[in-house]
Amino acid sequence: MDPSNPKADTSDKVSYVSASNLEAGIVTEGSRFQRFKDSFKPADLSHVPNYENLTDLEKAAIATANSPLQRSLKTRHLQMIAIGGSIGTGLFIGSGKALGNGGPASLLIAFFLIGVMLYCTIQVLGELTVRFPVSGAFSTFCTRFIDPAWGFAIGWNYGIQWLVVFPLELVAASMTIQYWNKEINAAAWVAIFWSAIMVINLFGVKGYGEAEFIFSFIKVIAVIGFIIFGIVINCGGGPQGGYIGGTYWYTPGAFNHGFKGLCSVFVTGAFSFSGTEIVGLAAAETSNPRKTMPAAIKQVFWRIVIFYLTSLIIVGLIVPYTDDQLFSTTGSIGASPFVIAIRNAGVKGLPSVMNAVVLIAVLSVGNSAVYGCSRTISALAAQGHAPKFLGYIDRQGRPIFGIMLSGVVGLLCFVAASEKEPEVFAWLMALTGLSTIFTWGSICFCHIRFRAAMKLQGRSEREIVYKSQVGLIGSYFGVIFNFLVLVAQFWTGLFPVGSSKADVTSFFQAYLAAPIVLACFLFFKIWKKTKFVSLKDMDLDTGRREVDTEAIMAEIAEEQAYIRSKNFFYRTWKFWC
């Protein structure tokens, strides 16, 4: 029917959708149920170029660059995801075991070094995702800038990580609930939490973004509140105990188990920071990555300094590493040094508040797990690295089969009701132990390769819309430091803290991810006979949203001139925020 002619025949009863209504998701006719049902139909891919006569590498680049994911995430979503998105069990619970194994000084040193490495990694990820806001982000970059076989290995390594994290977080949530009520079967709670997270993700990227905005806001407020509380307690303002100061750094001491204790904390630190890189995946679902990504990337600095380092300094000051509560229920909320600090101070009611925050943090990470897994799996399918049906994306931009896969594997959470739960999840955790280290190291190496290709092909760095603040030095530091963490984990995995004898079970539970990544790489390498991507043939253009280089550079120059014209405080603010 002709929308310009109101008298046109309407007997076919086909709904007319104007351009403005289509963008707003409004259909003028048809039931809500019909629109809901139609939303699951395949997304329109008519804009994707023809694949004929292209190499597998070129097909993968085009497919990920033209993903039908919706670009609905706003600046506030990305910034809050960057600030508090991955604050979860690693910080609130895992830091307790780390404090017990290494002492307060080891806890601070390890988290500081991991934080510096992470800041470098996120900076270079920001540079790459602003230029190439493609689906799959770092797994796609590995395919384009290193080797398709490495892209396959890192993509599945990352996807499996989040597949496993989802049921783990659901079980952690049920354990957190038991802090208040141990009578209700854990299976009832995991069923409720599983359903809630799956519903959130069925609302698409907007559902994920809004949920993470709320979750992250609560976590940020809670951590800031704990820091203030900790300072008061340390100065003797609690109902029980007087001035503490730096007493626990002298007695029982700053370090525990020496250098091995320090090395054992590195992997805990990496696990605590894992998920930060999800902001790179989200770049493909933002309308203007050049504007939104740099601001979000810079927020990571504040998360490292305030929400991790400062809170852990406070924890190390008010909880001695010899506190029996750190070991009595390791892995549960009872082992959280945050809750222990409040409990030791004799403040009634506040432990329950902190426990509620931990519950929110756990559900937040579970929500991110479904998002991260579904986007990674769909990108792998688009590149031909996973079954084609897993790349299905509907009209609402939802990778439905990726979400369903997460949901099915998430049903492992019902093992919480079994007596074998500790054994099952110990081995599931083994699949994720080193996953983040491989991902971060690969991101940094992709950046090194990208810059080398730019130089060899005679491309100007002025084309780079957002430059990493740490440059190539940060990338080299990231690669080297991640390698050193792998070495440290090999040692502490084979010879656990407190033991001089080799422990094979402990080693494989700590290092299982490494042989899996290597096996995936060799399998794809032999099967597809892939080649290491040469610098002269590297594709430096497919996937760029900003193609008018001169106009973009002029706009950036104008923005920089405006910032330079302002006072010192404004310039400092813009640099860090």
Side-chain angles (χ1 to χ4, degrees):
M1 110 183 192
D2 182 3
S4 63
N5 182 7
K7 297 182 179 180
D9 180 24
T10 58
S11 59
D12 57 1
K13 300 188 182 298
V14 175
S15 301
Y16 166 66
V17 186
S18 69
S20 59
N21 282 348
L22 179 60
E23 193 170 332
I26 301 170
V27 181
T28 56
E29 293 181 17
S31 68
R32 288 184 179 181
F33 176 74
Q34 184 63 40
R35 295 199 299 273
F36 172 75
K37 190 171 70 172
D38 289 346
S39 72
F40 289 95
K41 292 181 178 179
D44 179 17
L45 297 175
S46 60
H47 63 288
V48 179
N50 196 327
Y51 278 176
E52 292 182 8
N53 302 320
L54 295 179
T55 65
D56 289 342
L57 196 59
E58 291 170 331
K59 291 177 182 179
I62 292 174
T64 53
N66 291 277
S67 172
L69 295 170
Q70 281 199 344
R71 301 172 182 177
S72 304
L73 285 179
K74 300 178 181 177
T75 303
R76 66 181 177 87
H77 294 139
L78 278 180
Q79 289 186 343
M80 197 56 75
I81 290 169
I83 292 175
S86 65
I87 296 177
T89 51
L91 176 64
F92 288 126
I93 299 177
S95 57
K97 181 179 179 181
L99 176 62
N101 285 336
S106 292
L107 185 69
L108 182 59
I109 292 170
F111 271 75
F112 172 77
L113 291 175
I114 290 288
V116 172
M117 181 269 292
L118 175 65
Y119 182 72
C120 294
T121 303
I122 295 302
Q123 279 289 324
V124 302
L125 178 61
E127 179 177 315
L128 292 173
T129 52
V130 169
R131 183 176 177 89
F132 305 104
V134 297
S135 68
F138 27 87
S139 67
T140 303
F141 297 152
C142 289
T143 297
R144 293 178 62 170
F145 302 143
I146 302 177
D147 187 321
W150 191 248
F152 174 85
I154 291 301
W156 275 107
N157 165 69
Y158 195 71
I160 290 172
Q161 172 192 342
W162 288 122
L163 274 176
V164 172
V165 165
F166 182 37
L168 286 173
E169 295 299 321
L170 292 174
V171 172
S174 69
M175 292 167 64
T176 305
I177 285 286
Q178 289 177 355
Y179 181 87
W180 293 296
N181 190 326
K182 295 183 179 181
E183 296 177 2
I184 300 177
N185 194 302
W189 293 116
V190 295
I192 293 171
F193 298 140
W194 182 91
S195 301
I197 291 175
M198 293 306 295
V199 168
I200 288 173
N201 279 272
L202 286 177
F203 277 100
V205 70
K206 272 192 173 181
Y208 165 75
E210 291 296 344
E212 281 306 296
F213 180 83
I214 295 170
F215 289 156
S216 297
F217 182 78
I218 294 172
K219 289 186 287 185
V220 165
I221 295 299
V223 173
I224 292 174
F226 175 82
I227 291 171
I228 297 171
F229 167 84
I231 293 172
V232 172
I233 294 301
N234 186 258
C235 294
Q240 297 178 5
Y243 176 77
I244 300 174
T247 301
Y248 296 144
W249 279 62
Y250 296 99
T251 306
F255 293 93
N256 189 25
H257 298 120
F259 183 66
K260 182 183 282 188
L262 172 63
C263 290
S264 71
V265 180
F266 280 123
V267 174
T268 302
F271 176 74
S272 300
F273 283 116
S274 65
T276 307
E277 68 287 336
I278 277 185
V279 72
L281 286 179
E285 297 181 79
T286 61
S287 58
N288 190 350
R290 192 184 82 77
K291 295 286 187 181
T292 57
M293 285 299 294
I297 291 296
K298 291 176 183 178
Q299 304 304 320
V300 173
F301 171 81
W302 299 110
R303 186 173 86 182
I304 294 170
V305 172
I306 298 176
F307 305 117
Y308 280 86
L309 297 183
T310 305
S311 64
L312 292 177
I313 288 173
I314 298 297
V315 163
L317 287 172
I318 61 180
V319 179
Y321 71 73
T322 53
D323 193 311
D324 292 339
Q325 297 173 88
L326 292 171
F327 305 96
S328 60
T329 51
T330 301
S332 71
I333 183 61
S336 169
F338 291 79
V339 175
I340 292 171
I342 298 170
R343 187 186 295 142
N344 289 350
V347 180
K348 296 181 180 180
L350 200 53
S352 289
V353 174
M354 196 67 207
N355 190 62
V357 172
V358 174
L359 177 61
I360 290 171
V362 168
L363 294 177
S364 171
V365 175
N367 186 41
S368 294
V370 177
Y371 176 84
C373 175
S374 61
R375 270 60 182 180
T376 301
I377 295 297
S378 68
L380 285 170
Q383 297 174 75
H385 295 172
K388 189 175 181 180
F389 76 92
L390 290 174
Y392 182 94
I393 298 177
D394 66 19
R395 294 181 182 180
Q396 292 296 317
R398 295 170 297 205
I400 287 296
F401 286 104
I403 294 173
M404 289 173 61
L405 178 62
S406 290
V408 170
V409 176
L411 294 175
L412 285 171
C413 62
F414 287 100
V415 175
S418 167
E419 295 180 357
K420 297 290 185 180
E421 179 256 323
E423 298 174 31
V424 172
F425 280 97
W427 285 105
L428 287 177
M429 278 293 292
L431 295 171
T432 68
L434 295 176
S435 176
T436 301
I437 302 299
F438 283 107
T439 298
W440 291 346
S442 297
I443 290 170
C444 292
F445 190 54
C446 283
H447 182 248
I448 293 170
R449 296 270 300 160
F450 165 70
R451 286 290 192 93
M454 289 279 290
K455 184 176 182 180
L456 184 68
Q457 295 183 24
R459 305 286 286 266
S460 171
E461 288 188 6
R462 294 179 64 230
E463 292 182 29
I464 302 174
V465 175
Y466 173 76
K467 273 190 178 182
S468 163
Q469 293 176 336
V470 296
L472 281 173
I473 294 175
S475 295
Y476 280 109
F477 174 77
V479 171
I480 294 170
F481 191 81
N482 276 292
F483 174 74
L484 293 177
V485 171
L486 288 175
V487 173
Q489 179 65 355
F490 186 94
W491 178 37
T492 58
L494 188 59
F495 300 95
V497 171
S499 174
S500 58
K501 297 182 179 180
D503 187 328
V504 177
T505 301
S506 171
F507 173 73
F508 278 104
Q509 286 183 348
Y511 226 76
L512 185 59
I516 289 177
V517 169
L518 182 61
C520 287
F521 173 73
L522 293 176
F523 163 75
F524 200 82
K525 190 79 174 172
I526 295 170
W527 179 34
K528 293 288 188 178
K529 297 180 175 59
T530 63
K531 295 181 180 180
F532 198 69
V533 180
S534 66
L535 297 178
K536 64 182 180 64
D537 296 329
M538 194 175 290
D539 183 356
L540 301 177
D541 292 301
T542 302
R544 292 173 59 188
R545 285 192 202 166
E546 314 281 7
V547 292
D548 191 342
T549 304
E550 293 301 322
I552 294 299
M553 287 193 294
E555 185 179 341
I556 292 173
E558 185 178 340
E559 291 173 356
Q560 291 174 341
Y562 176 78
I563 293 172
R564 287 194 298 268
S565 69
K566 296 296 182 179
N567 58 45
F568 170 78
F569 297 104
Y570 182 84
R571 295 197 304 272
T572 303
W573 171 263
K574 293 300 291 183
F575 180 82
W576 291 111
C577 300

